[in-house]
Amino acid sequence: MASSMTPLQRNVAFAVCLATVVLAVLDMQIVSAATVPIVRDLDPVHGVDRIPWLISAYSLAATAALPLYGKLCDVLGTKRVFLAAVAVFLVGSGLCGAAQNMDSIIAFRAIQGIGGGGLMSVTLVVMAELMAAAGKQGSSGGNMGGLIAGAGMALGPVVGGTLADHANWRWIFYINLPLGIAVLIAGGYTLRLPRQTVARRIDFPGAALVAAFASALLLVTEWGGTDYAWSSTTILGLIGAAALLLALFLWRQATAPEPILPLSLFKHPVLGGSFAVQLLLGTALTGSIVYLLMYLQLARGIAATQASLYLIPMAIGMAVIGLASARLARRGWTARTFVVSGTATATIALALLATSGTGTSLWLVRGEMLLLGLGFGQLLGQLILLAQETAPSHQLGVATTSTRFFQTLGSALGTAFFGTVLARVYEAQVPGSTTSAIAHLEGTARTEAVRGFVTATHWVFLCAAGAMALALLLSALLPKQPDPARSESQQQPTGTVPAKSR
């Protein structure tokens, strides 16, 4: 098992995990900055209309696969699932780099997303098992993972834009291959993780239902208010399908002998609370990043590439708190303390961003993003750590991937909700116009449109601050200490035998 690893093997394994997190996060954001070169090369006539699918194919596939990865980790063993996820991701990356048309690259992005859905979540399970085997608390590992995830989230568009401008867009995908192959080799050699030795069933019907539900919900958020009106038959049909699939999934989880997402997890005050906070975090994170970039481009006239640089202060804030977190943990900060402090800090930052206007100092905006990074940097790793500390050992994978799943769903819901808020407020301020027309307006018409857009973003950031304030309340209500040491009955389900090393 992991305890049989030498210190050198354990250090290499941690490096492998951090490299995998870099791969995962960069590919969530890196393509967004290179869509124009990709379209220009593959389909200059009709490709622009396919851009939403190019971006969303990855997230759709990754989200749909998340719950299955957790169960596979608990049943098959984390190492096996980890290496398989990396391999699928690399296959998808290579295919994307070699794509010759928009249809193929969209399909290959979905393959890449299936692997990518396991990169972040399964890697966090690996890190938890390594920390437990070393007899250490997971705070440093969780914060380091959160630090790198946050930095990648902020820097991904910058890296993508740089590669697209100074190299070929295909290198956005090819660059994954050498790093990913190194991860496969090093991980296969060094990782010695526990695995299940008694056959257990995998709830594939449940996995299919939750994947279909997530896909329907994400399509609602992608298409609603843009491709289709919210009152259209398509959107209402998707909403109805999502509700039906959710009901069927919950019924399946209540009756399946080996549910893919045990409903008992939601009865636990720490786990249920952390899932809810992660949902709200995903919602607020979407509002802060997407609509800050829109504010900078439409209200302040900053070019897209330059606007992405304003995310660097947020990355710096995450780096600072990531480096300080280990020292704070040694001084008695628990995962719950980080969550409460992080939600409070992020709430203040979002409330300050809501005051931004056409004349607000851009240095003040950078300072607010730095503060936001200090808040989010305390949350990205700690919510998962909190779930891992509390979940029964045989459900570690499910608890970890479920936390990530709720963050992803929160991002999707945030996209739809904030988009609706922005459109409705802007329409009330500037009747008969849309935000897409702002860039083409001049004179008084542009001034009025920008003023209306700033008012709309004001309400978007206030809503995001409200979501984080609710997350702060839920965080404060979490039990002050995780459950006592898990009993033997929690750690191993009936019928299992001690895990062996692989």
Side-chain angles (χ1 to χ4, degrees), residues 325-385:
S325 60
R327 183 170 298 180
L328 292 172
R330 287 195 294 270
R331 293 185 177 181
W333 281 47
T334 63
R336 177 187 177 276
T337 305
F338 279 112
V339 172
V340 172
S341 173
T343 50
T345 304
T347 301
I348 295 171
L350 289 169
L352 291 173
L353 282 170
T355 65
S356 299
T358 55
T360 302
S361 167
L362 292 176
W363 284 106
L364 179 59
V365 174
R366 292 185 180 98
E368 291 163 353
M369 292 302 292
L370 176 68
L371 184 64
L372 190 64
L374 292 173
F376 283 144
Q378 297 177 67
L379 296 171
L380 291 177
Q382 292 298 333
L383 283 165
I384 291 176
L385 175 61

Side-chain angles (χ1 to χ4, degrees), residues 16 20 82-88 90 179-189:
V16 166
T20 308
F82 170 76
L83 296 178
V86 174
V88 173
L90 292 181
L179 182 57
I181 291 171
V183 165
L184 280 177
I185 295 172
Y189 177 73

Side-chain angles (χ1 to χ4, degrees), residues 30-81:
I30 199 170
V31 174
S32 61
T35 53
V36 173
I38 291 173
V39 166
R40 187 188 303 126
D41 188 14
L42 298 182
D43 188 355
V45 178
H46 305 291
V48 173
D49 296 333
R50 312 295 297 280
I51 285 178
W53 280 109
L54 175 64
I55 296 174
S56 62
Y58 183 97
S59 58
L60 275 169
T63 304
L66 264 174
L68 183 59
Y69 273 117
K71 191 64 176 180
L72 289 174
C73 285
D74 293 333
V75 173
L76 301 179
T78 308
K79 176 182 177 180
R80 190 181 302 176
V81 178

